[in-house]
Amino acid sequence: MARGLLGLTVDELSAELGSRTRAIELLKWLWAQPWDRAELPDTVPGVSHRVWRPFARTHGLTPLAVRSRQQSPDGTLKYALGVAGGEVEAVRIPAKGRSTVCVSSQVGCTRRCAFCATKELGYAKSLTAEQIVAQVHLARAESPADFPVRNVVFMGMGEPMDNLDEVLRAVQVLTQGPTPQLRAESVTVSTSGVVPGMRRFLAESKASLALSLNATTDEVRDRLMPHNRTWNIGSLLDVLREAAARWPRRDTFVEYVLFEGVNDTDADADRLVTFFKDLPARINLIPYNPYPGTGLRTPPTERINAFHDRVVRQGQLCLVRWPRGREIAAACGQLVLAQNAQGFSPAPSAT
Ligand code: SAH
């Protein structure tokens, strides 16, 4: 079977259907469909039967089985999704009249960050572009009209830079016209710091990059994120410096998960500011979402606020991302199916 319809670019569709107008009509139709349409129909408005029939025979729709939906009191909705070869999770987060969809790029993860629940799953497989795009299609189809999907973040399961061909394709599909046509800056791909992938992503995509830094010394980062031994903090900052020189208007997001007594000191805050003195970075501080067995703890609220104040006072853009969806284990690093994770208590159901 050829690639599923949700993974095709408008150029590819135009070539296969023999006309750009048909490709555009098809995309408009596709994105107006309910997520659970199982098969392609016999006819699609605006696409001649003659070209549609052979196309529909070779390209299917992407099967995503919704295993569960869990809604937390703050409106965050977590989906457990069956894909061929495993299960992943996607989360829709409503805020300020729009929704952000957090997507997974792999079943499990190729990296082994000490603090992240996804590593408990190991690595099973990387998702195809259509499986990534299908997560957005589903969340978009179910979004309330007053909270349309405007942002997509690759912050679910998986390391996007270890599945970069499919991630780049998914970004292209999500940002292309006529629909869903998200702004490239509104699609953010988050990496644990895989240098070759970061370089390629920055060169080939206009989407935003988020770097999960999480430490200000290599000694601490080696412990938290073992692949820091291959790509250390200096090499990550080099990539951001090169990017800032080439694309001065492009913002980079820096994620910094705070762990008590590990990376939350005043000296850490000062080093963090120094790293980004001449770089267009926005720092997001994420209080650690604990899960059992890591030996890591969340700093007290006063320490988090003091760290934040110290960074901001030195002129650095910085926000604390207080967790959302904690009740349903949908917050960062908790995207692991409750029944698979040791020590996880089953999340309450949506109803
Ligand atoms: N592999 C990618 C994307 C997935 S993780 C990456 O590392 O960026 C998305 C974000 O969640 C990252 O910033 C990561 O540092 C953060 N994260 C992971 N586990 C967490 C936890 N237990 N508590 C808080 N944030 C966590």
Side-chain angles (χ1 to χ4, degrees), residues 8 19 177 184 204 273 335:
L8 294 173
S19 122
E204 295 184 19
V273 172
L335 288 182

Side-chain angles (χ1 to χ4, degrees), residues 109 111 113 115-117 154-160 190-193 210-214 225 255-257 259 286-291 331-334:
C109 189
R111 301 291 156 186
C113 301
F115 50 85
C116 180
F154 285 68
M155 294 185 185
M157 289 179 182
E159 171 47 53
S190 181
T191 179
S192 60
L211 169 65
S212 301
L213 185 65
N214 299 341
M225 307 175 82
E255 317 288 325
Y256 193 90
V257 181
F259 305 100
I286 309 174
Y288 170 54
N289 290 316
Y291 80 95
C332 294
Q334 300 198 338

Side-chain angles (χ1 to χ4, degrees), residues 216 256 258 263-276 283 285 303-304 306-312 314 316 318:
T216 63
Y256 193 90
L258 283 163
N263 66 355
D264 65 345
T265 64
D266 286 351
D268 284 304
D270 293 347
R271 277 192 292 270
L272 197 53
V273 172
T274 314
F275 288 167
F276 299 105
I283 298 177
L285 302 176
R303 178 86 290 264
I304 294 171
F307 191 100
H308 173 247
D309 288 350
R310 195 168 175 100
V311 170
V312 170
Q314 298 180 64
Q316 171 63 54
C318 178

